[in-house]
Amino acid sequence: MSWRTVVIASSAKLDYQMGYLVVRREDTTKIHLSEISILLIETTAVSLTAALMAELMKKKIKVIFCDEKRNPSSEVIPYYGSHDTSAKVRRQIEWSSDSKISVWTEIVTDKIRKQEEVLVYFRKSEAELLHEYLQEIEYGDTSNREGHAAKVYFNALFGKDFSRSAELVTNAMLNYGYSILLSAFNREISANGYLTQLGLFHNNMFNPFNLASDLMEPFRVLVDRKVYTMDRQVFEHEEKMKLVDILNQEVWINERKELVNNAIKIYCRSVFDAIEDADVSEIRFYQYEL
């Protein structure tokens, strides 16, 4: 099972050789493709061959490109992630509203539960209010407990005046971490043969990643927790690597410890099974040891 997130942070030439990614700088490094889950090209001073890109796509390795400011700007995923992609896409289009709403309700509930756990860990009194919201969640979250919880949660962590829309270093950190998670979810959705555009709840015509935006919700707290513990005055390469490394943290899922990267795979497949079988008990949420 692939597990590595490979980050190319300085000038290099990348090519393919006998199953290996070859990184050529002053010295040469080789990494077998079977070990790689995500390849993050953090600098624009990198050249790579078409042969390498073709092999990366065959192995379903997510490739993320960053802009001149070293922020993720685009990603490459294969057209076909599964041998039965056509059948799965047809089924995805026909997913019933009831199944989608039921799964979304479970996802939102777990997200708020994990937000509450973070506030409890950091001894924030607002955790009690989130606990109340958990008891008030309705089918499909029609009363928008998720939105109310988010406001309370972020203000508890980052201050009463904090806003997710403000141009702050904290928001830059959060957005960077979320974009790494989003890419990991896009990779898994595609690898399972589904379309990232067709979401459960998110339905923005300008968002090509609606389904990933839905599925990643309970994992966002991993980024929030990390950002809260960091020095939020500077956001350079070292800070970004701490956020990328979230994928290599360990969590509990299916009664065993897994890297977050692998937990995403297990969780996504369980969600797809839950929708196909109309049984939300099949969803496998992770647990984080705070």
Side-chain angles (χ1 to χ4, degrees):
M1 182 179 287
S2 57
W3 56 274
R4 282 192 177 187
T5 298
V6 177
V7 181
I8 308 297
S10 59
S11 177
K13 292 184 179 180
L14 311 183
D15 58 43
Y16 173 77
Q17 188 179 87
M18 301 292 290
Y20 286 85
L21 162 66
V22 182
V23 183
R24 302 184 189 278
R25 290 185 284 237
E26 292 181 359
D27 55 353
T28 298
T29 304
K30 293 185 178 182
I31 307 170
H32 202 273
L33 295 189
S34 64
E35 298 179 2
I36 304 174
S37 173
I38 295 175
L39 174 62
L40 174 62
I41 312 293
E42 198 197 15
T43 172
T44 56
V46 168
S47 63
L48 64 168
T49 65
L52 172 62
M53 287 300 299
E55 291 299 324
L56 292 171
M57 293 304 99
K58 286 179 187 176
K59 299 293 185 183
K60 302 173 187 176
I61 296 170
K62 169 62 65 66
V63 182
I64 305 172
F65 291 99
C66 294
D67 58 22
E68 71 283 356
K69 295 180 180 178
R70 296 178 179 263
N71 292 317
S73 61
S74 62
E75 59 185 41
V76 184
I77 54 177
Y79 274 137
Y80 311 108
S82 172
H83 69 282
D84 57 350
T85 292
S86 297
K88 285 185 173 177
V89 168
R90 282 196 293 270
R91 291 205 302 271
Q92 183 180 5
I93 292 170
E94 294 171 354
W95 282 347
S96 72
S97 292
D98 187 57
S99 287
K100 291 192 289 185
I101 293 172
S102 296
V103 169
W104 174 244
T105 305
E106 293 299 314
I107 289 173
V108 168
T109 301
D110 192 64
K111 177 186 180 180
I112 298 175
R113 182 182 298 113
K114 285 182 168 57
Q115 289 176 331
E116 179 195 359
E117 289 171 355
V118 169
L119 294 188
V120 168
Y121 178 76
F122 290 119
R123 299 181 180 180
K124 304 292 184 181
S125 59
E126 291 85 351
E128 295 178 9
L129 188 51
L130 263 66
H131 186 73
E132 291 178 19
Y133 289 155
L134 268 177
Q135 317 309 313
E136 298 169 357
I137 292 178
E138 300 173 358
Y139 178 70
D141 191 28
T142 53
S143 59
N144 193 27
R145 294 299 92 183
E146 181 202 11
H148 291 294
K151 180 173 175 53
V152 172
Y153 170 74
F154 282 115
N155 287 344
L157 284 181
F158 303 118
K160 297 291 185 184
D161 297 328
F162 177 78
S163 167
R164 280 289 290 128
S165 59
E167 291 189 10
L168 303 169
V169 172
T170 298
N171 276 325
M173 289 178 164
L174 291 171
N175 293 338
Y176 188 92
Y178 295 157
S179 69
I180 298 299
L181 281 181
L182 184 71
S183 294
F185 275 91
N186 284 330
R187 173 189 183 276
E188 209 49 44
I189 291 166
S190 298
N192 278 277
Y194 296 99
L195 294 177
T196 61
Q197 294 92 333
L198 304 180
L200 306 175
F201 173 77
H202 287 84
N203 190 31
N204 187 332
M205 64 182 290
F206 301 110
N207 180 8
F209 308 126
N210 284 310
L211 185 54
S213 299
D214 289 326
L215 300 188
M216 70 180 281
E217 292 291 3
F219 284 75
R220 287 177 178 269
V221 298
L222 297 175
V223 175
D224 306 335
R225 182 178 181 274
K226 174 62 73 174
V227 170
Y228 181 80
T229 61
M230 292 167 65
D231 177 5
R232 298 189 297 278
Q233 302 302 312
V234 216
F235 189 39
E236 301 296 343
H237 175 73
E238 183 180 344
E239 289 74 28
K240 290 177 181 178
M241 291 308 96
K242 288 179 181 178
L243 294 172
V244 170
D245 194 51
I246 287 173
L247 295 176
N248 297 319
Q249 292 180 357
E250 287 187 332
V251 294
W252 282 94
I253 189 167
N254 257 357
E255 299 183 350
R256 58 182 290 177
K257 274 190 176 182
E258 297 280 0
L259 299 180
V260 169
N261 215 11
N262 292 335
I264 288 172
K265 297 178 183 182
I266 295 167
Y267 162 71
C268 284
R269 289 170 190 169
S270 76
V271 170
F272 299 141
D273 289 342
I275 296 173
E276 298 282 355
D277 299 338
D279 183 2
V280 295
S281 69
E282 295 187 32
I283 302 177
R284 297 291 176 262
F285 291 111
Y286 75 94
Q287 296 295 322
Y288 190 82
E289 289 187 338
L290 288 168

